[in-house]
């Protein structure tokens, strides 16, 4: 299976709060965010890891080049990376989608924090779901600590019915973990052609295009948007 990481944001909120490192290089429990994801993906049989970072922060590109050439702590990594600034996460996804159109893949943003054991179980469930004809499996959580959560409406069997900006009765929100098949790339292309942006619009388009999506519950998923989130993440992972 392939894995992909969107690491093209500038981390402006972190910088404004005194965090000097670019977001992908922020340390959580002694490990850079991007290194943590790469390690976890390799532990889940990554055949290739595709990453996009912006072309404004050369430190991230240099770090990825070092991993590409020398491995991660000596471990060879099948890494492909693109350096390009984009207007949104969805556009970042589009820039690397050409490398993801031949097999099922899992996509996350670089600051997504989850328990590795849960992720391992999720990948196993996603692989099985793909064999059964599911087009995607979206990581969700009932832990809500997000400034603008995307609510995920599901039926009793956890098939996704809708993605909503507001809801009084949805139990889950999106965790920013997307297991998808190549069929989703056509939907992404349609979004770009229509001039849409934001990953939540892409997710809505998946439903509109008739793709079959299931939700997979994680106990908790965190994002690193503010300096205080680093401590939250470390407490969660301890």
């Amino acid at each position: 299976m392939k894995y992909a990481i969107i690491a093209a944001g500038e981390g402006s909120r972190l910088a404004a709060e005194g965090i000097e490192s670019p977001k992908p290089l922020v340390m959580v429990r002694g490990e850079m965010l991007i290194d943590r994801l790469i390690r976890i993906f390799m532990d889940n049989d990554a055949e290739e890891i595709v990453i996009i970072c912006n072309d404004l922060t050369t430190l991230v590109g240099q770090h990825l080049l070092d991993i590409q050439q020398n491995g991660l702590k000596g471990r060879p990594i099948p890494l492909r990376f693109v350096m390009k600034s984009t207007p949104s996460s969805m556009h970042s996804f589009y820039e690397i989608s050409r490398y993801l159109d031949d097999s099922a893949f899992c996509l996350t943003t670089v600051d997504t924090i989850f328990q590795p054991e849960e992720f391992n179980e999720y990948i196993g469930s996603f692989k099985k779901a793909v064999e059964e004809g599911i087009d995607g499996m979206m990581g969700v959580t009932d832990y809500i600590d997000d400034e603008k959560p995307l609510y995920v409406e599901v039926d009793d069997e956890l098939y996704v019915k809708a993605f909503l900006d507001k809801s009084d009765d949805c139990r889950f929100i999106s965790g920013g973990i997307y297991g998808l098949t190549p069929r989703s790339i056509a939907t992404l292309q349609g979004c770009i052609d229509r001039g849409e942006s934001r990953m939540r619009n892409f997710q809505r388009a998946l439903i509109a295009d008739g793709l079959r999506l299931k939700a997979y519950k994680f106990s908790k998923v965190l994002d690193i948007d503010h300096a205080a989130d680093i401590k939250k993440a470390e407490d969660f992972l301890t």
Side-chain angles (χ1 to χ4, degrees):
M1 179 174 291
K2 292 186 177 182
Y3 295 83
I5 304 171
I6 297 173
E10 297 179 30
S12 56
R13 286 175 290 187
L14 286 171
E17 296 173 5
I19 304 299
E20 296 181 356
S21 298
K23 182 183 281 192
L25 307 186
V26 166
M27 304 288 284
V28 172
R29 294 192 70 199
E31 188 174 29
M32 294 180 187
L33 290 174
I34 202 160
D35 289 0
R36 180 177 187 273
L37 286 178
I38 291 172
R39 172 179 59 80
I40 292 171
F41 293 166
M42 290 299 297
D43 289 345
N44 283 275
D45 303 320
E47 62 180 84
E48 185 174 47
I49 300 173
V50 185
I51 301 176
I52 181 168
C53 62
N54 67 56
D55 53 14
L56 302 174
T57 311
T58 57
L59 287 175
V60 178
Q62 291 169 358
H63 181 67
L64 293 175
L65 181 61
D66 180 66
I67 291 175
Q68 191 177 62
Q69 295 177 341
N70 302 308
L72 180 63
K73 296 183 179 179
R75 183 182 192 179
I77 304 296
L79 174 63
R80 182 196 299 269
F81 72 93
V82 174
M83 291 185 67
K84 184 173 182 177
S85 295
T86 62
S88 73
S89 293
M90 195 185 79
H91 286 83
S92 293
F93 177 25
Y94 177 70
E95 290 297 329
I96 59 175
S97 63
R98 72 194 73 176
Y99 307 117
L100 304 170
D101 61 359
D102 58 351
S103 66
F105 61 92
C106 177
L107 169 75
T108 72
T109 53
V110 73
D111 61 338
T112 305
I113 300 291
F114 45 77
Q115 292 288 0
E117 297 80 9
E118 285 189 282
F119 185 78
N120 178 271
E121 294 172 0
Y122 161 76
I123 290 297
S125 295
F126 174 46
K127 290 179 178 178
K128 182 177 180 182
V130 170
E131 292 175 356
E132 296 172 351
I134 297 299
D135 298 306
M137 180 167 280
M138 319 305 269
V140 301
T141 179
D142 55 10
Y143 173 77
I144 303 176
D145 184 29
D146 197 304
E147 294 172 351
K148 296 181 180 179
L150 177 65
Y151 294 91
V152 184
E153 183 181 356
V154 300
D155 65 15
D156 292 340
E157 296 182 339
L158 294 182
Y159 282 95
V160 179
K161 298 170 63 179
F163 295 98
L164 307 168
D165 288 329
K166 296 181 180 180
S167 175
D168 293 327
D169 53 11
C170 279
R171 178 184 176 191
F172 299 119
I173 64 169
S174 173
I177 301 168
Y178 317 101
L180 296 166
T181 61
R183 189 180 174 196
S184 65
I185 303 301
T187 295
L188 177 62
Q189 182 67 61
C191 289
I192 295 295
D193 292 343
R194 291 190 296 270
E196 297 179 4
S197 62
R198 305 186 72 191
M199 284 297 289
R200 61 184 58 194
N201 293 334
F202 163 69
Q203 292 176 78
R204 292 183 180 117
L206 291 172
I207 298 296
D209 286 352
L211 276 69
R212 299 175 66 217
L213 307 178
K214 291 200 77 171
Y216 184 93
K217 182 183 179 299
F218 283 74
S219 62
K220 185 184 290 188
V221 181
L222 304 178
D223 293 332
I224 307 296
D225 292 322
H226 298 280
D229 294 334
I230 298 173
K231 179 63 163 57
K232 288 181 183 179
E234 290 180 333
D235 289 345
F236 168 53
L237 294 173
T238 299

